[in-house]
Amino acid sequence: MPTTEAAKAKVRIQVWDALDAANAVHTDTSHGRIPHFRGAHAAADRLANTAAWQSARTIKAVPDRAQLPVRARALAEGKTVYMAVPALAAERPFFLLDPSRLDLTDPFEAASSQFAAAAAPTVEVESLGSIDMIVLGSVACDRSGTRIGKGAGYSDIEFALLTEAGLITPETLIVTTVHSLQVVDAAIPSTTHDVSVDLIVTPEETITCPPAPRPPGILWDHLPADKIASIPALRARAARRTQA
């Protein structure tokens, strides 16, 4: 029997191959990436028509290009957006995009990862507000809400940090926007640290997923020592645990 990670890797390859064969991405290949899929704007529009989106005031979104239309839409509608610093490699690991303090002449520029890196302030985990919606990028997901990214695990770590800080509640909706080819029929294997989604939005369809258990916080025994050492927010928490 293949391991969970080997099974996930197989699903990634299958989805990347299918996207490339269908010319469904804007890049030369989808392999090794969160796919920048064709139809991302339509998926963002579909998400924006949901009641959950319309009531949300604070969005935590990934910095991937596929979710740029979601971030731009959020800023244009006056929602606060948080994005993670690449690899969570800063003492203050989230960029704050506050629409009241931004020039929104071009919301897409204001929502870009390049703008965030150059001009957006960074904040500590504890300085974020309560999160109404989390928008994830995915390589693949199934209709039960199980999703996989590229395999680095940063989305799961971000979720764990925000959960431990009390910023994610049972009402926080977890969403991914994807191409229809990224929604697979077979069940994707998962572990207890994997974050499932409540809503899958493609350009053509909105899929409401059944409730699934959420990781309760940081699962230290799932994190290799080098990962903890590379992420200041984890490193600081690990030190406090040692001292307790």
Side-chain angles (χ1 to χ4, degrees):
M1 292 288 292
T3 65
T4 298
E5 289 308 313
K8 289 180 179 180
K10 183 177 180 180
V11 174
R12 289 187 188 100
I13 295 296
Q14 290 172 340
V15 168
W16 284 330
D17 283 347
L19 289 167
D20 287 358
N23 190 30
V25 292
H26 292 285
T27 48
D28 56 344
T29 180
S30 61
H31 279 252
R33 303 168 177 171
I34 297 296
H36 182 199
F37 64 94
R38 299 185 188 277
H41 289 264
D45 290 345
R46 179 175 285 274
L47 173 60
N49 284 326
T50 64
W53 172 272
Q54 291 164 12
S55 65
R57 304 309 308 157
T58 306
I59 310 287
K60 206 292 289 182
V62 291
D64 300 288
R65 286 187 62 81
Q67 284 69 46
L68 175 59
V70 174
R71 301 193 302 273
R73 182 95 182 219
L75 292 178
E77 294 182 8
K79 304 180 192 295
T80 298
V81 175
Y82 294 105
M83 284 196 301
V85 171
L88 296 170
E91 296 287 342
R92 295 181 292 184
F94 290 94
F95 293 115
L96 165 62
L97 298 176
D98 181 347
S100 69
R101 300 184 179 183
L102 294 173
D103 177 1
L104 293 178
T105 304
D106 183 351
F108 284 86
E109 180 180 0
S112 69
S113 57
Q114 294 86 353
F115 173 86
T122 55
V123 293
E124 298 175 345
V125 173
E126 292 77 11
S127 297
L128 276 69
S130 180
I131 307 297
D132 298 319
M133 180 178 289
I134 295 175
V135 180
L136 300 177
S138 301
V139 172
C141 51
D142 64 30
R143 288 177 177 268
S144 75
T146 302
R147 65 163 289 280
I148 49 176
K150 295 181 294 183
Y154 289 113
S155 288
D156 296 334
I157 293 171
E158 292 166 29
F159 186 91
L161 289 168
L162 295 173
T163 296
E164 293 219 338
L167 302 175
I168 293 175
T169 72
E171 287 70 44
T172 302
L173 195 75
I174 309 172
V175 178
T176 189
T177 55
V178 293
H179 191 279
S180 59
L181 291 174
Q182 294 174 255
V183 183
V184 300
D185 292 327
I188 296 174
S190 65
T191 66
T192 52
H193 68 251
D194 290 326
V195 178
S196 295
V197 299
D198 304 307
L199 202 66
I200 300 167
V201 183
T202 78
E204 301 83 16
E205 187 178 12
T206 302
I207 302 166
T208 300
C209 305
R214 294 181 174 184
I218 300 169
L219 302 178
W220 293 101
D221 58 339
H222 289 225
L223 291 168
D226 60 340
K227 182 72 80 174
I228 295 172
S230 69
I231 298 175
L234 284 180
R235 192 167 64 241
R237 282 161 176 74
R240 291 198 291 270
R241 290 178 76 240
T242 302
Q243 296 165 3

